[in-house]
Amino acid sequence: MEINVNVPTNTDNQQSTNDNHNYDNRRSYNNFPLLDGECLVPIRVDWEMVKHFNMCRDNLETWHIGPNKVLVAFAPVAIESKAAAIKNFYRDVREYFASFHTDDTLSLDQFLEEAESEDSKGFELASSENPEENVMLRIIIRDLIKQVHNINPKYGRILDLICKDFTKGEILAELNLCKSQGYADIKAAQTLARKLYFEN
C-alpha cells in the first residue's frame, strides 16, 4: 500500500519530531498484538526480509521520500525504547538513500550547496504536499546540523540560519562576518554537512 502519512511538521519544538508519532494504529509485520508496555515503530524492510520473516504484506506501507520509495513495516518495541528505535529507522533510511550515491531530494541538495547570491535563500523544502517527506528531510537535516555543531559550532550556527531561510547577506550580518570570509564559511559549513551525510 502506498500512502502519505499525515504527521506534524513543526520543527520549532526542540524535542525530536518523531518522538510524538504514534504508529499504534498500524498492524505489526507479523500481526501479533502489542503486549503491555509496547508500541509500534517503523522499520525499513526489503522483499527478501519480507519473505524470510514471513511478513504480512497487507501490513506493509511504501513511504515516498523525495524521488525514492521505502518499504516500511512496523515492529513492537518497549515504549521506553521508542525514541531510539525511530532514530535508528531514520538513520537506516538515510544510509539506504546514500547507497544510491545521489541526494535524497532537490531540497536536500540545495541545503548542501552554496547559495548563489547574497539575497538568495539557503534552504526551502521541495514539496509541502507530502508531510512524511517534509518530516524526513527535517530530521535528516537536523541530524546533520547536530553533527556539524559538535565539530564546529560556528558552522553549525550557519546551518541553523540557512534552515531558518536566512539569506547569505542576513547570515553575514547575524554573525558579523565580512563578505569574503563569510562566503567561505558558508561554503565550508555546507561542504562539511555534505561530507558527513555521505559518510554516515
Side-chain angles (χ1 to χ4, degrees):
M1 171 175 33
E2 297 192 1
I3 65 160
N4 293 325
V5 182
N6 187 17
V7 294
T9 58
N10 181 3
T11 57
D12 294 331
N13 189 337
Q14 290 302 311
Q15 284 187 327
S16 176
T17 306
N18 54 15
D19 288 348
N20 298 323
H21 290 183
N22 184 346
Y23 299 102
D24 293 348
N25 62 340
R26 309 307 208 287
R27 289 175 290 173
S28 68
Y29 70 88
N30 55 11
N31 274 326
F32 288 170
L34 289 176
L35 302 175
D36 285 341
E38 287 186 336
C39 64
L40 289 177
V41 296
I43 56 172
R44 186 186 68 80
V45 297
D46 57 37
W47 289 110
E48 288 182 20
M49 292 171 65
V50 171
K51 185 176 179 182
H52 179 77
F53 292 105
N54 198 24
M55 295 183 179
C56 179
R57 293 181 181 217
D58 290 340
N59 297 355
L60 304 178
E61 295 178 0
T62 301
W63 287 5
H64 294 261
I65 311 296
N68 302 312
K69 295 180 182 179
V70 179
L71 188 61
V72 176
F74 299 90
V77 298
I79 290 173
E80 59 269 19
S81 302
K82 177 182 178 181
I86 293 177
K87 184 176 180 181
N88 286 337
F89 165 74
Y90 285 117
R91 183 182 301 116
D92 181 35
V93 170
R94 188 177 67 192
E95 290 170 359
Y96 174 64
F97 287 163
S99 71
F100 298 146
H101 301 293
T102 60
D103 291 322
D104 298 350
T105 65
L106 177 60
S107 60
L108 181 59
D109 190 51
Q110 288 171 341
F111 174 74
L112 295 174
E113 289 182 1
E114 182 179 12
E116 292 184 9
S117 75
E118 197 171 312
D119 297 326
S120 65
K121 300 284 185 184
F123 171 67
E124 293 178 7
L125 286 177
S127 169
S128 59
E129 297 175 3
N130 186 336
E132 192 69 40
E133 174 183 335
N134 289 348
V135 168
M136 175 67 80
L137 287 170
R138 292 285 184 191
I139 290 170
I140 289 170
I141 290 167
R142 187 178 60 236
D143 286 348
L144 281 174
I145 292 173
K146 282 181 185 175
Q147 291 179 56
V148 171
H149 262 292
N150 290 337
I151 295 169
N152 186 315
K154 180 181 181 182
Y155 291 172
R157 177 71 177 132
I158 288 170
L159 296 180
D160 282 334
L161 296 174
I162 290 173
C163 255
K164 292 176 181 174
D165 287 338
F166 276 54
T167 65
K168 242 181 177 180
E170 290 168 341
I171 293 171
L172 300 183
E174 179 76 15
L175 300 180
N176 242 353
L177 298 171
C178 67
K179 198 170 192 177
S180 59
Q181 182 60 50
Y183 281 17
D185 285 341
I186 291 169
K187 184 171 184 179
Q190 291 169 311
T191 299
L192 178 57
R194 179 181 291 277
K195 180 174 181 285
L196 292 171
Y197 176 78
F198 285 107
E199 281 180 355
N200 289 336

